[in-house]
Amino acid sequence: MLGQLANPDFLEVRRDGYVISSNPSNLDLEYVVRFLTTEAYWSQGIDPALIIKALKNSLVLGLFDGTGKQVGFARVITDYALFAYLRDVFVDEAHRGRGLGVWITETALAHPRLQEVPSWMLATEDAHGVYEKAGFHALRHPEWYMQRLR
């Protein structure tokens, strides 16, 4: 199911006329930034320059339809050894209901460079069912976790 691109750091997966690619040069950067700054509840209003900086420092996955148009996205913040944080997962409304959110999540988890990572996290307000299908669950010890916001 996973097919390697020329660069072993990137993968490409195909299913039902869709493609997921982890090659950042395939991303429609304008599309991703626009969605994250105007449509995604978790990142509306963030400075687009910060979004671009975040993307450059993350493992990214683009979801593309049969015409090559980008219709979804996910990124992983990771040290490639002990920890990974899945973030900014979205699928265009016109392409929802086809299991693409679960698929892009599972593809991120299956990325060859992340196979040794034992600890994954994410935050979601409304997509718990999507991530449960990929093996995520509520924190076992939420009292251990802290956060600092500016």
Side-chain angles (χ1 to χ4, degrees), residues 81-103:
L82 297 174
F83 181 77
Y85 186 84
L86 183 64
R87 183 172 168 104
D88 298 332
V89 179
F90 66 84
V91 174
D92 267 359
E93 190 170 351
H95 296 269
R96 292 179 190 161
R98 300 174 188 170
L100 298 172
V102 174
W103 183 42

Side-chain angles (χ1 to χ4, degrees), residues 9-71:
D9 288 341
F10 305 139
L11 64 85
E12 185 173 284
V13 185
R14 297 176 183 275
R15 185 181 89 181
D16 300 329
Y18 289 92
V19 176
I20 295 174
S21 172
S22 69
N23 187 336
S25 66
N26 292 340
L27 290 182
D28 179 343
L29 195 57
E30 182 179 312
Y31 162 79
V32 174
V33 171
R34 183 177 57 251
F35 190 97
L36 289 174
T37 59
T38 64
E39 295 187 44
Y41 69 81
W42 61 89
S43 56
Q44 285 181 359
I46 292 179
D47 180 351
L50 290 177
I51 297 285
I52 291 168
K53 184 176 182 180
L55 298 179
K56 288 179 181 178
N57 290 300
S58 301
L59 186 151
V60 295
L61 297 116
L63 171 65
F64 305 88
D65 70 10
T67 69
K69 178 183 176 196
Q70 189 166 353
V71 297

